[in-house]
Amino acid sequence: MKNLKLNKANIMKFLKIAFLVLVVFFLVRYFKKNINEIKELDFKPNWGIFAGSMLLYFAYKFTLASLWHYITYLNDSSITYKNAVVCYLYSILGKYIPGKVFMLAARFPAYEKEGVKLSKVTICFFLENICTLLGAAFLFLISLFFFPRKALMDLAHKVVPNASNETALYIFIGLLILLIVAFFICINPKIINFFLRTFGKLIKKQDMEIPITYPQMIKVVLLFIANWIIVGAGFYLLVRSIYPVPLSESLYCAGIYGISAIIGILAVFTVSGLGVREGIIGVGLALIIPSEPTIVIISVISRLWATIAELILIFIAFLFTQITNLREKKLGKND
C-alpha cells in the first residue's frame, strides 16, 4: 500500500513537470512570435490608460476565479475559497497548451486532495465554460444595438434583404430582442441537465447533472455577464490607449472582444484561440478605425495584454502559496 502511494506521488510529480515543460515550450514560442511582430510596429500607447486596462483584466480574472468557487459551492463540491482561487489561477497555464482539457486536469489534484469527486469538478468546469460563452454571447447581443449605423444597416439587410431601411432595421431589432428572450429560456437547468444526461450516457456516467435551480442559474449567468462587462471595458481602454475611440463606441468594442472570445474558446485545437481571436478583433475594429496598421497593432497587443496579466496573476498565486507554506511550517515547528 505504501509503495502504491509512493508510485502515485511520483506519477503526479512527473505529470506536473511534464505539464510545466509543455507550458514553457508553448509560451516561449508564443512570445517569440509576438515580440518579433511588435518590434516591427511603430506605436506610442498612452501608458496611463493602458495600465487601467490591465487593472480591469486583473479584476476580471480574479472575479472569474471567485465565480468558479461559487459554481463548485452550488454543486456541493467546493474547497476553501483561498485554495479554489489559487487552484484556478494555476489552471490558467493549461490554456497555453492546445486542447482545453489541460485547464480541467490542472484543477483535479487540489479537489481530489479534499475528497471531491472528479466527475463533479468536470461538471463544474463544463458549467463554467457554458456560463463564459453565454456571458460573452449576451454582451455581443447587447453590443449589436451600438454597432455603427452603416454596419447595423448592412446586417439588417442581410437578415431581411428586400425590405426598406426602416423596416429591415425594425425587424432586425425585433429578432435581437427575441434572441435575448430565448437566451434566458435556454439557461434553464432542466435544458442543460438534459444535455448533460445525454453526454453522461455516452461516457457511461450516471451523475452528470447540476443541482442548480433556475433562479440560481440566472444569478450565475448575470454575474458572468457583469464580469464580461468588466473585461469589455478593459479591452475598450486597451484600444483607447492606442487609438482615440470615443466613449460612445465602448460597448461596441466590448462586444467585439466578446464574440472573438467565443470563437477563440470554440477553436479547441489552438493555443488560447491564438490567431482566431485576433482575426475577429481585426474585422470588428475595421468598422470604427480607418487605419489598417493601427488595427494590426491593437490585434497583436491584445494577445500579449491578456497573457502578461495572467502570468502576473499566476506568479502572485505562486508567491502566496510559498508564503502560506512557510508560515505553516513555522507554526508547526513552534507547536
Side-chain angles (χ1 to χ4, degrees), residues 71-325:
I71 287 170
T72 59
Y73 168 76
L74 291 176
N75 198 29
D76 299 321
S77 54
S78 62
I79 56 178
T80 63
Y81 176 72
K82 176 192 74 175
N83 289 342
V85 171
V86 170
C87 170
Y88 180 88
L89 293 176
Y90 278 147
S91 76
I92 292 171
L93 288 169
K95 72 186 280 188
Y96 295 104
I97 303 172
K100 311 299 179 188
V101 71
F102 291 98
M103 279 193 77
L104 171 60
R107 297 181 199 181
F108 281 162
Y111 285 84
E112 190 178 30
K113 189 179 178 182
E114 298 289 331
V116 178
K117 286 184 178 179
L118 297 187
S119 59
K120 282 198 167 190
V121 180
T122 303
I123 289 169
C124 291
F125 182 77
F126 177 78
L127 183 59
E128 179 206 350
N129 278 275
I130 286 176
C131 291
T132 298
L133 289 169
L134 289 173
F138 187 82
L139 179 62
F140 178 68
L141 283 175
I142 295 299
S143 76
L144 286 171
F145 290 102
F146 296 87
F147 261 47
R149 178 87 181 171
K150 186 178 180 304
L152 193 60
M153 289 305 305
D154 288 343
L155 278 173
H157 277 298
K158 283 179 182 177
V159 176
V160 194
N162 298 320
S164 65
N165 284 351
E166 193 173 334
T167 304
L169 195 58
Y170 280 131
I171 292 172
F172 183 70
I173 290 171
L175 287 171
L176 283 181
I177 293 167
L178 283 174
L179 278 172
I180 291 167
V181 172
F183 173 91
F184 282 101
I185 292 170
C186 290
I187 65 173
N188 191 316
K190 289 181 180 178
I191 296 171
I192 293 170
N193 279 332
F194 169 77
F195 288 106
L196 279 173
R197 282 193 297 270
T198 305
F199 179 66
K201 286 176 184 176
L202 290 172
I203 62 171
K204 296 181 180 178
K205 292 280 184 182
Q206 300 299 319
D207 55 350
M208 297 291 283
E209 284 190 20
I210 49 169
I212 295 177
T213 64
Y214 192 26
Q216 285 175 333
M217 189 65 187
I218 289 173
K219 182 182 176 181
V220 169
V221 172
L222 287 175
L223 287 170
F224 270 87
I225 291 168
N227 207 33
W228 269 105
I229 291 170
I230 291 172
V231 74
F235 179 71
Y236 166 71
L237 288 181
L238 172 68
V239 175
R240 183 67 188 263
S241 71
I242 297 168
Y243 186 86
V245 175
L247 186 62
S248 59
E249 291 174 344
S250 58
L251 198 53
Y252 171 77
C253 287
I256 291 301
Y257 189 74
I259 192 65
S260 73
I262 291 171
I263 296 169
I265 290 168
L266 295 176
V268 178
F269 297 107
T270 63
V271 178
S272 190
L274 181 62
V276 179
R277 283 190 174 196
E278 292 73 41
I280 301 298
I281 286 169
V283 170
L285 292 180
L287 296 173
I288 58 171
I289 297 175
S291 169
E292 191 175 325
T294 303
I295 294 168
V296 172
I297 289 168
I298 293 169
S299 296
V300 173
I301 294 299
S302 70
R303 297 179 199 170
L304 294 176
W305 171 66
T307 303
I308 290 168
E310 286 169 356
L311 291 177
I312 290 170
L313 285 171
I314 292 162
F315 182 66
I316 291 169
F318 173 76
L319 286 179
F320 177 81
T321 304
Q322 296 305 308
I323 291 166
T324 304
N325 289 340

